[in-house]
């Protein structure tokens, strides 16, 4: 059976402020681009020019029948200098969310998605203990201003990815390589999430708050090799489980220490899952097995993993599950429809309470250190002209929404002819 129904799971798309808005804003990423750290030399100052095209993009969401939109806010726009709010920028976001609601699209708003104002990065970012209070103030400001239209919030996107890329591998701003600092930033972000959870509920009791956690399957390269098995478990614990446990429960286990003033509790109303890939582990870190399906960035395509991660997370933290991101780098839209189909089929066949699925990304997005070279959108952005063109995968997505599932016709039209690239050698 190729057709399936998607009962109980609403579909939407996701974006992040720095990755689509464009504009000369003083963020950590604009500075990183100016320092020549982006592989294709691009800058988030261009991206998809969404800041200027909010009305057009909202109309396109509505035209495609998309009723759920996960979007981000750029902290550096809202607070361009320490303690100075930019009321015009806040009004812009207010208009954006009001426009979405008027068009029948429900916003889910992310407050921190790898982006810091330049002045805060200079002050030490999340290594500076006062950043927690600064973030509280941002959270309070956004909730106060946007609450008439927004009820669902994600304070922090993928805190594990941000901490490791920025403080362990040194590829992202501020380019540090220190395990101690990585753990401090991971712990600070978990605390920031807990504080935000409490604050949002004080200000807006009916709010729903969760994290968008980047979760992977870590599989030992050789399941009979005890070192591979141990490495897979350790990577899993250090990269994702320990921090997620701290964020969701307020209990900071090893390698963290319990921060003063943080009480055990339940700090999630839904569990957000960003799922992209499986890692094959030989020693602590990640790798990709040979002869598996991969995307254009070489990440393994492993649809069953979506349910594997949702299952462990649901057993540990029972709540409605939102797939807050899932998507793939496919520069020519040659296999995205198949990717979408196979991941949604997993959801359709599962007994887990997966209530939302947000595809990453709506338009092509500025992909951090890969810049404009890695395309994830269901809508193509021609960067020089900023023209949008709905891709075949976008048409397929709209068709799934309108039929509340995949029909035989849709399968034949968009999926049947697609195959994935293969990884020829293990990495
Ligand atoms: C991030 C996005 C990113 C996507 C694809 C996620 O880890 O939240 O910002 O564009 O993956 O790499």
């Amino acid at each position: 059976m190729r057709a399936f129904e998607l009962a109980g799971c609403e579909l939407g798309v996701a974006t992040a402020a720095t990755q689509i808005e464009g504009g000369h804003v003083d963020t950590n990423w604009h500075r990183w681009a100016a320092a020549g750290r982006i592989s294709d030399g691009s800058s988030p100052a261009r991206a998809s020019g969404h800041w200027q095209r909010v009305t057009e993009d909202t109309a396109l969401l509505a035209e495609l029948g998309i009723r759920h939109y996960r979007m981000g806010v750029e902290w550096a726009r809202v607070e361009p200098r320490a303690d100075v709010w930019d009321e015009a920028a806040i009004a812009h976001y207010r208009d954006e969310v009001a426009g979405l609601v008027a068009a029948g699209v429900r916003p889910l708003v992310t407050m921190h998605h790898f982006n810091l104002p330049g002045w805060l990065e200079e002050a030490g970012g999340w290594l500076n203990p006062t950043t927690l209070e600064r973030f509280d103030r941002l959270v309070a400001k956004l909730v106060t201003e946007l609450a008439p239209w927004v009820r669902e919030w994600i304070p922090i996107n993928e805190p594990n990815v941000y901490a490791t890329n920025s403080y362990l591998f040194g590829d992202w701003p501020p380019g540090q390589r220190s395990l101690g600092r990585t753990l401090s930033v991971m712990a600070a972000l978990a605390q920031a999430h807990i504080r935000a959870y409490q604050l949002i509920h004080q200000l807006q009791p009916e709010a729903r708050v969760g994290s968008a956690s980047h979760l992977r399957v870590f599989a030992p390269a050789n399941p009979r090799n005890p070192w591979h098995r141990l490495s897979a478990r350790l990577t899993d614990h250090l990269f994702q489980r320990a921090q997620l446990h701290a964020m969701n429960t307020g209990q900071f286990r090893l390698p963290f220490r319990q921060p003063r003033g943080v009480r055990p509790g339940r700090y999630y109303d839904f569990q957000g899952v960003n799922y992209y890939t499986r890692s094959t582990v030989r020693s602590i870190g990640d790798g990709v097995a040979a002869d598996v399906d991969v995307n254009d960035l070489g990440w393994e395509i492993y649809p069953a993993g979506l349910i594997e991660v949702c299952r462990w997370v649901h057993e540990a933290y029972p709540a409605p599950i939102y797939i807050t991101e899932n998507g793939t780098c496919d520069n020519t839209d040659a296999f995205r429809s198949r990717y979408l189909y196979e991941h949604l089929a997993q959801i359709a066949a599962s007994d887990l309470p997966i209530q939302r699925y947000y595809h990453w990304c709506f338009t092509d997005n500025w992909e951090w250190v890969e810049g404009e070279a890695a395309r994830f959108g269901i809508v193509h952005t021609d960067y020089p002209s900023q023209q949008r063109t709905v891709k075949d995968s976008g048409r397929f997505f709209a068709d799934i929404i309108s039929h509340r599932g995949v029909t035989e016709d849709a399968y034949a039209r968009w999926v049947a002819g697609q195959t994935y690239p293969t990884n020829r050698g293990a990495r």
Side-chain angles (χ1 to χ4, degrees), residues 19 113 157-158 214 276 299 325 360 365 367-368 376:
Q19 294 183 273
H113 193 130
N157 179 71
E158 297 193 350
H214 181 101
Y276 287 88
W299 304 354
E325 285 180 32
W360 182 272
N365 56 280
E367 184 55 26
W368 311 117
F376 280 78

Side-chain angles (χ1 to χ4, degrees), residues 15-16 19 70 113-114 157-158 160-162 165 172 212-214 216 274-276 295 297 299 324-329 360-361 365-368 370 374 376:
T15 61
Q19 294 183 273
R70 176 176 169 219
H113 193 130
F114 308 155
N157 179 71
E158 297 193 350
N160 55 343
V161 172
Y162 172 74
N165 284 337
W172 288 12
S213 298
H214 181 101
R216 287 193 195 181
N274 291 2
Y275 175 77
Y276 287 88
N295 72 8
L297 288 172
W299 304 354
T324 36
E325 285 180 32
N326 171 247
T328 198
C329 176
W360 182 272
C361 189
N365 56 280
W366 187 77
E367 184 55 26
W368 311 117
E370 271 87 28
F376 280 78

Side-chain angles (χ1 to χ4, degrees), residues 256-328:
F256 304 119
R257 274 199 308 264
Q258 188 69 27
R260 232 180 279 140
V262 176
R263 293 220 171 80
R266 179 186 157 109
Y267 300 111
Y268 59 103
D269 302 314
F270 58 85
Q271 176 60 56
V273 173
N274 291 2
Y275 175 77
Y276 287 88
T277 190
R278 164 167 76 173
S279 293
T280 301
V281 180
R282 285 180 181 74
S283 60
I284 294 174
D286 69 285
V288 183
D291 302 319
V292 295
D293 298 329
V294 288
N295 72 8
D296 287 347
L297 288 172
W299 304 354
E300 182 178 356
I301 297 173
Y302 179 58
L306 176 64
I307 298 304
E308 289 172 29
V309 298
C310 287
R311 190 161 307 282
W312 76 251
V313 116
H314 190 64
E315 276 163 13
Y317 314 109
I321 300 171
Y322 289 8
I323 307 302
T324 36
E325 285 180 32
N326 171 247
T328 198

Side-chain angles (χ1 to χ4, degrees), residues 204-388:
Q204 192 187 21
E206 74 282 14
R208 298 181 61 74
V209 184
S211 62
S213 298
H214 181 101
L215 300 177
R216 287 193 195 181
V217 174
F218 287 100
N222 174 0
R224 285 189 302 274
N225 180 321
W227 173 244
H228 290 187
R229 284 203 307 270
L230 178 67
S231 302
R233 289 191 62 167
L234 267 176
T235 309
D236 189 19
H237 179 75
L238 292 173
F239 178 68
Q240 53 195 17
R241 293 204 193 219
Q243 191 192 33
L244 182 61
H245 190 72
M247 289 171 76
N248 277 349
T249 67
Q251 293 164 14
F252 287 65
R253 294 176 176 159
L254 275 176
F256 304 119
R257 274 199 308 264
Q258 188 69 27
R260 232 180 279 140
V262 176
R263 293 220 171 80
R266 179 186 157 109
Y267 300 111
Y268 59 103
D269 302 314
F270 58 85
Q271 176 60 56
V273 173
N274 291 2
Y275 175 77
Y276 287 88
T277 190
R278 164 167 76 173
S279 293
T280 301
V281 180
R282 285 180 181 74
S283 60
I284 294 174
D286 69 285
V288 183
D291 302 319
V292 295
D293 298 329
V294 288
N295 72 8
D296 287 347
L297 288 172
W299 304 354
E300 182 178 356
I301 297 173
Y302 179 58
L306 176 64
I307 298 304
E308 289 172 29
V309 298
C310 287
R311 190 161 307 282
W312 76 251
V313 116
H314 190 64
E315 276 163 13
Y317 314 109
I321 300 171
Y322 289 8
I323 307 302
T324 36
E325 285 180 32
N326 171 247
T328 198
C329 176
D330 172 6
N331 291 322
T332 54
D333 208 43
F335 53 86
R336 180 173 289 101
S337 295
R338 174 166 289 283
Y339 182 100
L340 185 55
Y341 170 80
E342 291 185 355
H343 286 77
L344 292 180
Q346 292 285 333
I347 295 176
S350 146
D351 55 350
L352 294 168
I354 302 178
Q355 294 186 354
R356 299 272 175 84
Y357 170 93
Y358 293 85
H359 193 78
W360 182 272
C361 189
F362 176 38
T363 60
D364 285 328
N365 56 280
W366 187 77
E367 184 55 26
W368 311 117
V369 284
E370 271 87 28
E372 293 173 355
R375 292 182 182 269
F376 280 78
I378 57 166
V379 173
H380 180 269
T381 304
D382 175 57
Y383 287 108
S385 70
Q386 293 295 354
Q387 185 165 343
R388 278 98 166 104

